[in-house]
Amino acid sequence: MRIELTSVFVDDQRKALAFYTDVLGFVKRHDVPLGDAAWLTVVSPERPDGPELLLEPAGHPAVKPYRDALVEDGIPLIQLAVDDVHAEHQRLTARGVVFTQPPTDIGTAHVAVFDDTCGNLVQIVAMKPAAAQ
C-alpha cells in the first residue's frame, strides 16, 4: 500500500493553483474540467511521478466549519516536507507568504506554519537527521 493522492480543500481552485505553483514551487500535473470545478493536482518538481496533491473545491457544507475550527486553533490541515525550514521560511516570506508560526525547534524536527491564502494553514517540517533514522 502507498499514498498516491491526498487532497486539500481550497476556496478557489485557480487561486490555489497559482499559490501552490508560482509561490510554493509545485508543478501542475492534472487539470481536467468537471463542470464548475476541475480535477486539479500538483506534484513536487523533485518527484514529478510521486504523490499528487488534489486542490479540492471546498463547496461541501462541512468543509467551512471544519477548516475554520482548525485555523482558529492554529492546526495545519496539511504538512509538507522541506530540507531546511529556516531557508524555506526566508524564501516564502520574501514572496509574501504569511507565517502564523515561525521556524520552531520541536526536538525531532524544525517546523513552521503558514497561511496558504486558500483557507488553510500549512506546516512545513524538516526532520533532524537523527530523528529521520
Side-chain angles (χ1 to χ4, degrees):
M1 193 176 303
R2 65 189 175 276
I3 298 171
E4 293 291 328
L5 175 82
T6 191
S7 62
V8 61
F9 293 110
V10 297
D11 297 331
D12 179 309
Q13 284 186 300
R14 295 298 141 193
K15 180 181 176 185
L17 179 61
F19 182 82
Y20 279 80
T21 57
D22 299 342
V23 177
L24 298 185
F26 288 99
V27 177
K28 180 174 65 174
R29 176 106 182 253
H30 291 104
D31 189 354
V32 180
L34 298 170
D36 292 337
W39 180 262
L40 183 58
T41 67
V42 296
V43 295
S44 168
E46 297 169 15
R47 294 184 56 203
D49 293 324
E52 297 174 63
L53 179 63
L54 175 62
L55 304 176
E56 181 87 33
H60 189 282
V63 172
K64 182 171 176 27
Y66 168 69
R67 289 191 315 160
D68 287 350
L70 290 177
V71 169
E72 184 175 324
D73 289 343
I75 300 172
L77 185 63
I78 61 173
Q79 180 172 283
L80 303 172
V82 298
D83 292 328
D84 183 331
V85 168
H86 295 279
E88 281 298 308
H89 177 264
Q90 288 179 344
R91 181 182 78 84
L92 295 175
T93 299
R95 302 194 85 170
V97 174
V98 175
F99 278 78
T100 61
Q101 177 186 328
T104 304
D105 185 333
I106 61 167
T108 59
H110 288 99
V111 299
V113 178
F114 63 85
D115 182 334
D116 78 351
T117 74
C118 303
N120 307 291
L121 295 179
V122 176
Q123 179 170 279
I124 54 175
V125 61
M127 298 302 292
K128 291 182 181 177
Q133 295 179 3

